Amino acid sequence: MGIVAGLDSSPDFTRIVVCDTDTGAVLRQGYAPHPLDMPEGGPRASDVDPQAWLLSLGEAAGGGLLEGVQAIGVSAQQNALVPLDAQGTTVRPAMVGGDKRAQVAAADLIDALGGREAWAQAVGCVPQAAQPVTKLRWLAKSEPENARRTAILLQAHDWLVWQLLGRPVRRTTDRGGASGTGYWSAATGGYLPDLVELALGHQAMLPEVIGPSDAAGTTPEGLLISAGTGETMAAAFGLGLGLGDAVVSLGASGSVMAVHPEALVDQTGMITSLADATGMHLPVVTTLNAVRTLRGTAELLGVSDLESLSDLAMKSTPGSHGLVLLPYLEGERTPSLPHTAGTLAGLRRESMKPEHLARAAFEGMLCGLADALDVLRGRGVDVRRVFLLGGAAELPAVQAAAPSLFGAQVVVPQPADYAAIGAARQAAWALGVSQGTLDPRTPPAWQGAAAQVLDPGEELAVGQAVRQQFVSVREQTHPGAFRP
């Protein structure tokens, strides 16, 4: 029996799991927050010294956690741009997260290439503030001296892998990480250096994109380091997603992604075409309004928390007595209605009760995400199972309505460090390939996530009627805005 480790360097902490190579059973775990010293008036949260990630990693791995480990996989936050000079020294702190400073740069880049459609055709996504390509444009405009010194571009997991290997001449990344940069095409599997030049003003060295089961290298101590990947791809791999599976993630905003055999080019910009950690693709559609819809409704009704809102909603019935909430509270991205507001329709005297509005909030949120699912289905993506992630996935009102509104079996996995587990699974794959015991095209078959499984059953027809009611109100209010 061999053991491997997966580490996940998120924006705030590092988690490490040590797993059995054959089954994926978690044997040991480590955790450490990032030592981010943020004094008042100090650096912005969107600027982080990458050394913080290494310090956190070292602390999480303390106490002999990695003893006996044969291989390590690295998952890390996506979109963190680490600009290096020709000697490999950081030019400035890493730019992480959805950096609002880069919003103007995103609009600049879209115009510079000739519009959203041109970007979708070139790389499978339209520039957004968070993406490395956009941060490069911001750097060139706002810190021209730092931009001139920038010679090498890495992301968080690339940089960590490079550090673990002792900073070799060869720098690597994987398809998943590369697909989020805005200058690598999931459809062609290649970089577009002209887009780096368009954003930064000159060419820069980019990491070699290696295969899903390839090793990035071996440490001086003989520890194999796998390719690494972004958190989204690692979590999908840790959950064991395959064809026919989609993930609906319930944060303040929502996202829907699914496994698909090919890259999707979407000229509307609604689909972001990412690659996964196995050689497949992960088309993603996002909505701006998910759990924020529930929180807003709870405040309006004077309800203390989401659990209480869920209890209130369960006193109503499917269809909320005719109330329909279009939950476009922050404007909306899917459909593209950036300047609109939410709409509450169907008000009658008998429907004006707190429980019906509570139910309408849950149904509106889930119907908005069903719209995002339909964008993918409309492009031929097979969706038979929907994995529901996020704290709100545990709420009874969500679980009662989701299967029939999505028209699919809903799987609610137990909370676990899926990104770290996915990184460990990748390490086990690379180790097995290096030893000749695993096929480079077939990852190790680990135990699936422990989960609650919910079927639409007899509620399907009722749920689809509720869904149609939502679609009718949306079409009347915003005619032609949405064409899945």
Side-chain angles (χ1 to χ4, degrees):
M1 182 182 82
I3 57 172
V4 292
L7 71 88
D8 175 38
S9 181
S10 85
D12 302 312
F13 55 77
T14 299
R15 290 194 190 277
I16 301 177
V17 296
V18 175
C19 298
D20 170 48
T21 308
D22 297 324
T23 66
V26 177
L27 308 174
R28 304 193 288 266
Q29 299 181 65
Y31 167 87
H34 289 240
L36 299 180
D37 184 20
M38 296 290 292
E40 204 170 326
R44 294 183 181 90
S46 50
D47 286 340
V48 175
D49 183 350
Q51 292 297 328
W53 308 333
L54 272 187
L55 290 168
S56 173
L57 193 167
E59 188 181 337
L65 184 76
L66 300 180
E67 197 173 314
V69 163
Q70 296 167 278
I72 293 179
V74 177
S75 152
Q77 59 181 302
Q78 283 150 241
N79 297 322
L81 178 69
V82 187
L84 306 176
D85 64 18
Q87 286 71 48
T89 306
T90 50
V91 168
R92 69 178 314 286
M95 300 175 71
V96 302
D99 195 330
K100 289 186 176 177
R101 293 175 294 178
Q103 285 174 343
V104 173
D108 278 354
L109 275 179
I110 291 169
D111 290 344
L113 195 65
R116 300 169 68 85
E117 191 172 328
W119 278 96
Q121 292 285 359
V123 289
C125 58
V126 178
Q128 297 155 31
Q131 283 182 299
V133 71
T134 308
K135 289 168 179 170
L136 289 179
R137 180 74 159 197
W138 179 89
L139 194 64
K141 297 283 188 185
S142 304
E143 299 179 2
E145 184 53 40
N146 283 337
R148 277 192 290 274
R149 289 177 53 215
T150 298
I152 303 162
L153 302 177
L154 296 180
Q155 292 190 88
H157 83 81
D158 310 337
W159 188 85
L160 283 165
V161 165
W162 184 57
Q163 296 291 329
L164 289 173
L165 290 172
R167 298 164 61 100
V169 173
R170 180 190 190 220
R171 299 173 189 87
T172 62
T173 191
D174 86 308
R175 299 168 64 254
S179 68
T181 59
Y183 43 79
W184 185 88
S185 165
T188 64
Y191 283 116
L192 287 91
D194 58 317
L195 296 183
V196 174
E197 188 165 348
L198 179 70
L200 185 61
H202 61 85
Q203 293 292 347
M205 191 176 292
L206 303 170
E208 177 189 344
V209 180
I210 61 176
S213 62
D214 290 346
T218 306
T219 68
E221 299 78 30
L223 197 62
L224 184 141
I225 308 293
S226 63
T229 194
E231 269 189 322
T232 298
M233 299 80 191
F237 198 37
L239 282 165
L241 299 189
L243 290 172
D245 291 336
V247 172
V248 170
S249 185
L250 300 175
S253 54
S255 69
V256 175
M257 68 178 180
V259 181
H260 196 56
E262 58 192 36
L264 297 178
V265 175
D266 175 53
Q267 296 170 1
T268 68
M270 279 195 291
I271 298 173
T272 298
S273 198
L274 300 177
D276 79 348
T278 72
M280 303 285 274
H281 295 268
L282 278 179
V284 180
V285 179
T286 58
T287 69
L288 295 182
N289 301 280
V291 176
R292 63 165 44 101
T293 304
L294 304 182
R295 295 203 184 282
T297 306
E299 286 176 23
L300 179 65
L301 294 174
V303 174
S304 59
D305 53 38
L306 296 188
E307 289 74 16
S308 302
L309 186 71
S310 173
D311 293 343
L312 188 60
M314 294 298 281
K315 294 177 182 174
S316 182
T317 52
S320 312
H321 274 241
L323 280 190
V324 175
L325 177 64
L326 300 183
Y328 306 150
L329 308 184
E330 299 283 327
E332 189 46 81
R333 186 173 163 193
T334 306
S336 181
L337 297 166
H339 307 300
T340 194
T343 302
L344 183 62
L347 281 170
R348 297 179 183 276
R349 177 65 191 88
E350 63 271 18
S351 66
M352 295 177 74
K353 293 183 178 177
E355 60 266 32
H356 302 324
L357 179 54
R359 178 94 190 192
F362 281 95
E363 290 178 345
M365 174 188 76
L366 291 169
C367 283
L369 290 160
D371 279 350
L373 270 173
D374 282 352
V375 171
L376 296 177
R377 284 174 166 142
R379 294 298 305 279
V381 177
D382 183 24
V383 178
R384 294 190 299 274
R385 286 196 304 177
V386 174
F387 285 71
L388 207 51
L389 302 185
E394 303 286 338
L395 297 173
V398 169
Q399 296 190 2
S404 61
L405 292 178
F406 292 160
Q409 184 182 78
V410 168
V411 179
V412 185
Q414 288 182 4
D417 300 325
Y418 291 111
I421 291 167
R425 190 178 177 205
Q426 187 195 64
W429 193 7
L431 180 66
V433 169
S434 75
Q435 294 172 338
T437 57
L438 285 178
D439 186 319
R441 293 158 301 183
T442 309
W446 280 11
Q447 299 161 346
Q452 189 177 359
V453 178
L454 310 166
D455 284 299
E458 295 174 0
E459 296 295 314
L460 181 60
V462 174
Q464 290 304 293
V466 172
R467 176 100 175 80
Q468 191 51 52
Q469 182 176 263
F470 177 91
V471 169
S472 297
V473 172
R474 189 196 65 218
E475 281 298 304
Q476 287 166 12
T477 312
H478 304 287
F482 189 88
R483 289 286 180 265

